[in-house]
Each structure stands twice: as C-alpha cells, then as structure tokens.
C-alpha cells in the first residue's frame, strides 16, 4: 500500500496515545491483555514509559502516587472486568486521598454487555466505577477520544483531586478514521488546575481570628503537601510563630526538627489550642473528627481548603478560606501585618516543656537494644541511615510498623513520606514505591509490616525487572500486629492474626536476582541498608522483630471492637 493512503488513516489506539502525549502524559502503569495489549505496545513505541505490573492494584497505586507527586494525573491501564476491578481499589483509594489519577480500561462489546449475553470479561464498567470516582466516562466513538481524555484530566486534577475512570470500548480502540479529522478532534487542556483565588474578606477574617488567639496551632495536611506551595507555607508558619503539627504525609513540608514543630506534644496541643488553622487537612478520623475527648469543645477553626463542602463537615468552622493553598498562602502573606499574630509565651513554653518531656521518654525507648529487636530499635537504625539522605522517599505501611515509623523516622523534605493514608489501607507499599521511583528517579525505602508487604509483595519482580532503586525492609514479627496469638479452639490451625515467623522474605527477591539480607540486630540492619542504598539496586531486608513487641491494631485500639465474653476473647 502506498504510504500516502496509509498516512491518511489512523485508529483509536493511536488517538489515545496522541491525546495523552498532547497533554504531557509521559508514563503509563498497567497490566496488558485483551483489549489493551496493543495500546500498551503502541504507547511504548511512541515514547511513553510503560511500566508493566503483576497486579492492577499495584499499577493503580503507582499511578495514584505519581499523580500526588507530579500534580499530573497518574495513568493506570487495565483490561476489562477483573482487571478493571483489581484497579478499582487503587482508584477508590486515590479518590479518598485526593490524588489525581485516571484509570483507563478497555471494555467488552457494549451491545452484548448491556443485554448481558455473556461476553468475555463482561461488566458494565462505567457504571460500576461511579460510586468510587470523581467522574466516570465512556468513549463510544473514536472521534470523541480527545474529548474523553480532556474531560478525564479536568475531573482528576481540578478542585480536590481524585480518581477518574475512562472506559474505552474494544470497538473504539480498533476503529479507524481519517487522520485529518482525527487530528482536529484532539483537545489540549489549557489549564489543568485553575487557581482558586480566595475572597480577601475570608483572609482578613482568618487573620483576625488568629490574632485574637492565645494558643494558636496550625495543622498541615497532605493537601498542603500536594499544593507545592512549600515556601509560602513555611514563610507563614515562621512569620506568625504559630506552632504546627504535620499530618503524616505532610511531614517534611517543614523539616521535622523545626523548632515550631509540636509533633512531640500532639495530645497537649490538640486538647489546649484555642484557635486551630487547618491547611489542607480534614477533620476526619485521623483527627478524631475534631471532637472530644481529644479536642476542646471551645476550639475555633480556620480551614483552608479547595473543597467548599469540606467546611463545617465535623466542627463548625469560624473562618473558612475556600481556595487553592498556593493562592491562599500568598494572600495571607500579603495581608499579614508584622507582629499581628503573636502566640502567648506561656503557650510556647508549655509546648516546649511537653516536647522535651516526651522526647526524653522516647530517647530512652530508642536507645534500648532488646534482643530480638523491637520496632523502636530497628527504626532507630533506619532513621540514622536516612538522616544524611533527605531526598530518599519513605513508603510506610502496617500497623505497629506504620505507627512507630511515622513517629520515629524524621522527614526533612516535602512529599517524601508516602503511607497508608486516609483509609489506613494495606497494599500500597510496592505500588507507591515503584510510582515514586519511576517519576522521581530517586531511591525509595519501603518500611513494611510483614502482613502489609504480602498485599503487594509479588511486585518485587517488577522492581527487579525495571532495576528500580528500591529497598524493601520487611518488619517480620510473624503476624498482623503480633506474632504470638493462639488458636482459642485448641486446634492446630494458626490463629487469625498469625503469619510465618520463620519466613525468609529476603529469599523471595533472590529469585529475581535482587539482593536479600536477613538481619536480627540493629548493627547488621544499618550495614545492610547502607549497602543496599549504595548499590542503587533492588534489595529486600528481612528484619526479625520480637513477635511480642507490637500491640493489637497499633495505635488504633479505640477503633477495634473486641468481644468481652466467651472464647474469642484475647488474654
Ligand atoms: P491529611 O490526611 O493529611 O489530614 P486530608 O487528605 O484529610 O489530609 O485532607 C487534604 C485536604 O486538602 C482535602 O480536604 C482537600 O480538599 C484539600 N486540598 C487538596 N489539594 C488542595 C489544594 N491544592 N488547595 C487547597 N486544598 C487542597
Ligand atoms: C486492604 C486491616 C490493618 S493493619 C494490618 C491489616 C491486615 C496489617 C498489620 O500487620 P503488619 O504490621 O503489616 O504485619 P505490624 O507491624 O503491626 O505487625 N486489608 C486492607 N487494609 C487493612 N487496613 C486491613 C486489611 C489491617
Ligand atoms: Mg507484622
């Protein structure tokens, strides 16, 4: 066929790739299969980076965290029905956390699906996705691909970011059309996340309230980290002198050793602050819904958030500032008068005193060297190795592994700590690690509970296949929370929370030519982690932790209903 004729025809596959490229998308995370195999191939051939996973949930988690880190929607590509559903957990998690992500899935023949006539991988995916996403679209004509991709990008990134589903039928992918008409149908998104300028009145109201406070507090959430307004946030905190508390993924927005950090006096400041300024943080379960006994009923709130419906959702907000955080912080800095806000000395002194008390208590725990290791002694070793490497990403999931990790590992740069987030979900570990390593080119240390690791563990093959600089540290305490529970029936099966204590997770990675380490003391852990990071190659450290060291549900015991009668009762 003469080239002339060929070049005038294009098809759905090409249009999807063209639309993504036109909008600055350079990476796709996915699992190949019918009907999107050729889409993945073509994307790679056309210069997009395609990262192939072992399970769609991890591909989705990688896309979600890529979205969080870059403010561009992370793309996850899945096959129909089961692949789509596997990815949906990650898409729903992205929506819950406010991470911009688009899951693109191929789907089966519409006519057969709608009459439920039994197609291969039959599922009404667009409608199934709706409750878990900000928006769910289906493209049924190839000339609509450009519009579909543009709408998905807008929905994912504007306002509070979140997950979007884009359904591409097999017919659309394979459909051919005239290349000129196709080019005309492409849409380049001009503004992905338009600024949302605050009402100057709302800024004044908030500053007045903060100026009237005796015991003010700022809480920084992951929305503040996402906003990438790092300098303005730091400047506002420092100019006002207000003590601040970082939520877990906002750690590092200001370095954890900053003198205004009240993290080591958390209970005191939540209970006693009279005015609290929330910047990109929700009053959800992670902040006890803003209610007693952790909070005072008289606390007044400033809330800076892009989502107007977040305001008043749990506590009445005296001074809402509905805006994007970059614009809001610029407005605050412009309107703030020198000396206008001055926390009382008594408040700063009380915080300093409590910080010192708690830090000394923690130092005693950290300096102990129990055998076998506990969470503190193992994390101290990791903390010390990471102290001189502030640009390393830390991924963290588990129960005790998460709670101790959050408290012990200091962060020094914004957006370097990636964890279980708003749902407290297990399974983000390898996906987040891969996503972060791929978009940043930087090393990642994933600190994983042994149970948590299992949810995405097979992705160590992906890590090795792409030779990513990821070191996985598995805190092997032989179980969910603890490794010493017993079967109350007296039978031979292990108890529900038990995993294999003798498991050698390090040998798993050796199957893929990665480096495994088995460590039982902090000195060896220090050496193994240092060597693994120096190599820049995939490694897994099986880190043996005392099975009796953890507590049920980590720090969430208040959320865990327990039977008080009969056989299931814990001793
Ligand atoms: P954390 O878990 O750290 O407390 P949340 O995820 O609960 O944080 O809250 C983040 C908040 O930040 C959400 O309410 C979201 O609407 C808001 N947010 C996200 N991005 C922005 C932004 N660019 N500007 C303003 N608010 C934002
Ligand atoms: C998708 C419930 C919360 S924490 C956890 C589970 C299973 C594992 C804790 O054990 P781990 O940590 O990781 O070994 P450690 O240090 O305390 O021993 N399924 C999903 N998400 C959640 N949160 C659960 C189950 C859970
Ligand atoms: Mg465990």
């Amino acid at each position: 066929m003469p080239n002339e004729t060929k070049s005038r025809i294009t098809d759905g596959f090409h249009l999807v790739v063209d639309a993504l490229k036109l909008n600055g998308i350079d990476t796709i995370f996915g699992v190949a299969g019918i009907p999107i195999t050729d889409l993945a191939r073509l994307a790679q051939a056309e210069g997009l980076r395609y990262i192939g996973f072992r399970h769609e949930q991890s591909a989705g988690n990688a896309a979600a965290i890529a979205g969080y880190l870059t403010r561009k929607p992370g793309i996850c590509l899945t096959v129909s029905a089961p692949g789509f559903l596997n990815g949906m957990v990650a898409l729903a998690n992205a929506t819950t956390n406010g991470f911009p992500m688009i899951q693109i899935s191929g789907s089966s023949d519409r006519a057969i699906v709608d009459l439920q006539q039994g197609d291969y991988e039959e599922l009404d995916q667009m409608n199934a996705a709706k409750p878990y996403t900000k928006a769910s679209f289906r493209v049924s004509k190839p000339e609509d691909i450009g519009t579909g991709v543009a709408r998905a990008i807008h929905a994912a990134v504007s306002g509070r970011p979140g997950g979007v589903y884009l359904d591409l039928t097999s017919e659309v992918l394979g459909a051919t059309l005239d290349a000129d008409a196709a080019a005309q149908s492409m849409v380049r998104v001009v503004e992905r996340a338009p600024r949302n300028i605050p009402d100057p009145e709302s800024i004044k109201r908030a500053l007045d309230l903060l100026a009237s406070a005796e015991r003010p507090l700022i809480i920084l959430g992951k929305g503040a980290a996402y906003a990438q307004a790092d300098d303005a946030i730091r400047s506002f905190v420092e100019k006002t002198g207000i003590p601040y508390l970082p939520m877990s993924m906002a750690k590092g927005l200001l370095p954890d050793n900053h003198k205004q950090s009240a993290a080591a006096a958390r209970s005191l400041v939540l209970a006693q602050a009279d005015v609290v300024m929330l910047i990109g943080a929700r009053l959800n379960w992670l902040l006890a819904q803003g209610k007693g006994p952790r909070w005072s009923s008289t606390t007044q709130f400033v809330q800076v958030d892009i989502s107007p419906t977040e305001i008043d959702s749990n506590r009445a907000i005296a001074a809402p500032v509905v805006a994007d955080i970059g614009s809001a912080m610029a407005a605050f800095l412009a309107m703030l008068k020198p000396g206008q806000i001055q926390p009382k000395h008594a408040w700063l002194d009380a915080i300093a005193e409590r910080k010192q008390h708690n830090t000394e208590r923690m130092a005693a725990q950290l300096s102990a060297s129990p055998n076998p290791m506990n969470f503190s002694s193992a994390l101290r070793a990791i903390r010390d190795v990471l102290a001189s490497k502030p640009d390393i990403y830390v991924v963290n999931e588990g129960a005790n592994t998460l709670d101790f990790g959050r408290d012990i590992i200091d962060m020094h740069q914004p957006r370097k700590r990636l964890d279980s987030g708003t749902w407290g979900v297990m399974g983000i570990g390898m996906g987040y690690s891969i996503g972060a390593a791929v978009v940043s080119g930087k090393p990642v240390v994933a600190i994983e509970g042994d149970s948590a690791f299992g949810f995405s563990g097979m992705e160590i093959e992906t890590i090795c296949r792409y030779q990513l600089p990821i070191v996985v540290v598995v805190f092997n305490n032989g179980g969910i929370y603890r490794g010493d529970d017993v079967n109350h029936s007296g039978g031979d099966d292990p108890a529900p929370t038990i995993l294999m204590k003798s498991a050698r997770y390090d040998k798993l990675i050796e199957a893929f030519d990665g480096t495994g380490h088995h460590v039982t003391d902090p000195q060896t852990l220090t050496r193994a982690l240092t060597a693994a990071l120096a190599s820049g190659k995939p490694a897994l450290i099986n880190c043996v932790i005392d099975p009796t060291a953890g507590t049920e549900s980590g720090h969430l015991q208040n959320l865990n209903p327990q039977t008080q009668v009969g056989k299931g009762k814990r001793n």
Side-chain angles (χ1 to χ4, degrees):
M1 194 189 291
N3 265 342
E4 227 179 284
T5 321
K6 234 172 146 182
S7 68
R8 275 193 268 112
I9 298 290
T10 186
D11 65 11
F13 291 109
H14 285 81
L15 284 178
V16 176
V17 173
D18 290 349
L20 293 174
K21 282 176 76 173
L22 183 64
N23 284 292
I25 304 288
D26 49 21
T27 309
I28 294 177
F29 305 92
V31 176
I34 298 173
I36 48 86
T37 314
D38 258 2
L39 183 56
R41 271 196 199 109
L42 181 70
Q44 189 174 56
E46 293 284 325
L48 277 92
R49 185 137 196 231
Y50 179 84
I51 307 289
F53 283 71
R54 307 304 298 260
H55 190 288
E56 291 86 353
Q57 190 180 122
S58 290
N61 284 324
I65 214 65
Y68 170 72
L69 293 172
T70 64
R71 293 167 61 93
K72 275 195 293 196
I75 307 291
C76 173
L77 186 62
T78 60
V79 304
S80 0
F84 157 82
L85 284 172
N86 282 344
M88 278 305 296
V89 174
L91 193 65
N93 186 55
T95 305
T96 303
N97 281 287
F99 300 159
M101 164 179 171
I102 301 171
Q103 182 176 335
I104 299 178
S105 193
S107 60
S108 312
D109 189 301
R110 283 250 46 80
I112 303 178
V113 170
D114 287 348
L115 266 176
Q116 297 177 28
Q117 292 174 307
D119 202 0
Y120 168 71
E121 298 192 342
E122 174 184 293
L123 185 74
D124 180 3
Q125 295 167 187
M126 179 187 71
N127 284 305
K130 278 183 182 164
Y132 308 109
T133 51
K134 282 185 77 183
S136 180
F137 301 108
R138 177 161 54 229
V139 177
S140 301
K141 293 191 285 187
E143 60 269 34
D144 285 343
I145 287 172
T147 303
V149 168
R151 299 209 68 192
I153 291 172
H154 282 296
V157 187
S158 62
R160 174 187 290 166
V164 174
Y165 177 60
L166 185 63
D167 194 88
L168 302 174
T169 62
S170 311
E171 299 95 304
V172 159
L173 288 169
T176 52
L177 77 168
D178 174 78
D180 293 336
Q184 293 280 328
S185 73
M186 289 287 101
V187 180
R188 194 177 74 80
V189 171
V190 177
E191 234 180 346
R192 280 202 299 260
R195 282 193 301 166
N196 199 325
I197 313 285
D199 181 344
E201 273 302 305
S202 71
I203 299 289
K204 182 174 180 311
R205 193 191 297 124
L207 286 175
D208 288 347
L209 182 59
L210 287 166
S212 74
E214 297 196 346
R215 299 180 305 282
L217 172 71
I218 289 173
I219 296 182
L220 300 171
K222 59 178 159 330
Y226 174 79
Q228 298 196 12
D230 309 338
D231 292 345
I233 289 171
R234 182 167 186 160
S235 174
F236 184 78
V237 170
E238 291 180 343
K239 282 196 169 131
T240 59
I242 301 177
Y244 74 94
L245 207 56
M247 300 301 288
S248 66
M249 283 181 60
K251 275 164 65 79
L253 202 42
L254 283 83
D256 274 338
N257 58 1
H258 194 283
K259 69 177 188 330
Q260 282 172 256
S261 169
R266 185 183 168 91
S267 321
L268 175 103
V269 292
L270 291 188
Q272 296 191 8
D274 60 352
V275 176
V276 172
M277 181 186 198
L278 300 161
I279 306 180
R282 286 171 282 188
L283 282 176
N284 57 16
W285 68 279
L286 288 156
L287 285 169
Q289 271 87 22
K291 300 193 172 127
R294 293 185 69 82
W295 291 81
S296 153
S297 59
T298 56
T299 311
Q300 292 192 281
F301 289 91
V302 175
Q303 184 162 30
V304 185
D305 205 292
I306 201 160
S307 169
T309 55
E310 187 57 35
I311 309 300
D312 298 331
S313 54
N314 280 296
R315 283 284 295 261
I317 304 296
V321 177
V322 176
D324 73 272
I325 287 166
S327 303
M329 297 323 291
F332 274 118
L333 286 169
M335 208 180 272
L336 178 72
K337 296 191 253 324
Q340 185 183 3
I341 294 175
Q342 275 174 345
K344 291 268 183 289
H345 283 297
W347 174 234
L348 302 181
D349 292 346
I351 295 171
E353 204 176 297
R354 180 67 70 91
K355 263 175 78 169
Q356 193 181 343
H357 172 79
N358 287 348
T359 311
E360 279 164 14
R361 219 179 45 186
M362 191 153 140
Q365 270 174 30
L366 284 170
S367 62
S369 284
N371 184 13
M373 283 186 284
N374 62 15
F375 293 94
S376 301
S377 62
L379 283 160
R380 180 197 59 204
I382 298 176
R383 178 197 67 181
D384 292 347
V385 172
L386 296 184
S388 59
K389 303 174 170 56
D391 62 339
I392 290 186
Y393 285 88
V394 174
V395 171
N396 193 192
E397 60 175 339
N400 294 280
T401 304
L402 178 80
D403 291 332
F404 282 94
R406 182 181 53 235
D407 292 347
I408 294 173
I409 306 287
D410 285 337
M411 303 308 300
H412 306 280
Q413 290 181 6
R415 294 172 293 282
K416 293 292 181 179
R417 182 184 160 85
L418 313 171
D419 67 24
S420 300
T422 304
W423 261 348
V425 71
M426 299 299 114
I428 49 87
M430 299 306 104
Y432 279 11
S433 298
I434 294 168
V438 165
V439 298
S440 72
K442 296 260 160 58
V444 179
V445 172
I447 306 171
E448 300 273 310
D450 50 347
S451 163
F453 172 68
F455 288 76
S456 65
M458 191 64 205
E459 302 298 343
I460 56 176
E461 189 274 336
T462 309
I463 292 171
C464 291
R465 184 161 24 100
Y466 289 92
Q467 283 294 297
L468 297 169
I470 296 171
V471 183
V472 183
V473 184
V474 178
F475 273 23
N476 186 351
N477 65 344
I480 297 176
Y481 316 135
R482 292 170 69 94
D484 62 348
D485 205 359
V486 293
N487 177 340
H488 290 277
S489 77
D492 290 337
D493 281 349
T497 56
I498 289 298
L499 299 169
M500 276 181 75
K501 279 189 244 319
S502 58
R504 289 289 300 270
Y505 294 102
D506 50 311
K507 296 198 174 181
L508 285 176
I509 200 163
E510 289 172 359
F512 309 112
D513 266 349
T515 306
H517 302 264
H518 174 68
V519 307
T520 56
D521 62 79
Q523 294 72 27
T524 321
L525 174 54
T526 301
R527 277 201 298 276
L529 182 57
T530 307
L533 287 170
S535 78
K537 294 252 161 59
L540 190 151
I541 304 174
N542 181 54
C543 185
V544 178
I545 303 282
D546 182 352
T548 67
T551 50
E552 173 106 349
S553 307
H555 293 184
L556 301 183
Q557 283 153 58
N558 59 323
L559 300 179
N560 188 33
Q562 295 197 337
T563 179
Q564 300 305 322
V565 290
K567 274 195 168 167
K569 193 166 178 302
R570 285 181 71 236
N571 299 313

